Amino acid sequence: MRDHKAARAELRGDCERCFGLCCVALPFARSADFAVGKDAGTPCRNLQDDHRCGIHARLRQKGFTGCTVYDCFGAGQQVSQITFGGRDWRSGPAEHARRMFDVFPVVRQLHELLWYLTEALALPAAGPVHAELRDALEKTRELTDGSPEELAGLDVAAHRQEINVLLLRTSELARAGTRGRRKDRRGADLMGARLKGADLRGASLRGAYLIAADLTGADLRGADLIGADLRDADLTDADLTGAFFLTQPQLNAARGSAGTRLPESVTRPGHWTAQV
């Protein structure tokens, strides 16, 4: 098994090795997250000829907050350099570009699964299912190395479901050893909820809607945060030590402070206030 940190590093977007796929393949609508809208397969107006964003350092100021909370989990460089052998979408026939844009979202889902499986293997309490997790990791990795035709025909939803069953078992094992109430708030509607100082140790918040929730000073140690919607949630001084399945995009969408304690799998977003 490869070093965990090295494996994790491979599952982060590397724009230098990508052809700006997220800026072309994906659609977005004009909203609070995007200053303008565009269709799938249409290059963003800010994308330059060298596949770099012309306003990358000023995305939030220019009204493109949605871009700052997106991560392809390394799918961009995988599709650009491996699946299509370094041949970009600007060269060749339109069919080449269309196939690349179709494959990118599929590989992005597979890479997200690789991230969760890699994180699951770092949880000592999940030891009883580590063998199954390693098998699932290798199977998923093999799928990402498929040809464009194989990837386009892949039933990624079915594969996600198989992995989800395993990740649920992982969550149960990991949270079982957490002291506290271990609440089950899976899929709960907690939008705008007043959870200041709440004891959420070992809670299952899988898929919970925590949009604009006040989690100031909340105790989220050992919580399962897979798929939780943390857009504009206030994590000021919250303790997320040991929280698992938390991704960088989730954290980037939230608000926090220098006093927010985080698991080592993520980094403190640059736009968070520096005040403790």
Side-chain angles (χ1 to χ4, degrees), residues 78-95:
Q78 174 73 20
V79 172
S80 298
Q81 303 301 329
I82 305 301
T83 312
F84 286 88
R87 185 183 181 191
D88 71 29
W89 52 270
R90 296 182 190 273
S91 60
E95 174 61 22

Side-chain angles (χ1 to χ4, degrees), residues 14 20 48 95 102 109 114 135 147 170 249 253 255 264 266:
D14 183 353
Q48 302 177 137
E95 174 61 22
D102 288 344
Q109 291 189 65
L114 287 176
D135 288 343
S147 67
T170 298
R255 292 179 289 130
E264 65 170 13
V266 292

Side-chain angles (χ1 to χ4, degrees), residues 209-224:
Y209 296 93
L210 288 158
I211 302 170
D214 181 4
L215 289 160
T216 303
D219 191 342
L220 291 152
R221 286 177 291 174
D224 179 352

Side-chain angles (χ1 to χ4, degrees), residues 133-203:
L133 288 168
R134 283 191 289 271
D135 288 343
L137 183 72
E138 290 308 314
K139 178 180 179 181
T140 304
R141 187 176 290 126
E142 288 175 4
L143 290 175
T144 67
D145 288 332
S147 67
E149 293 74 23
E150 290 170 334
L151 287 164
L154 179 65
D155 186 349
V156 69
H159 185 64
R160 286 189 74 101
Q161 184 54 38
E162 289 181 17
I163 300 299
N164 188 52
V165 172
L166 188 54
L167 294 179
L168 277 168
R169 290 172 59 193
T170 298
S171 176
E172 291 168 359
L173 289 167
R175 291 184 299 110
T178 303
R179 293 182 179 180
R181 300 171 66 181
R182 297 197 297 275
K183 296 178 180 178
D184 186 357
R185 306 307 300 271
R186 183 179 180 187
D189 184 352
L190 298 170
M191 291 190 288
R194 299 176 180 177
L195 297 168
K196 184 175 182 178
D199 182 0
L200 295 168
R201 285 175 293 169

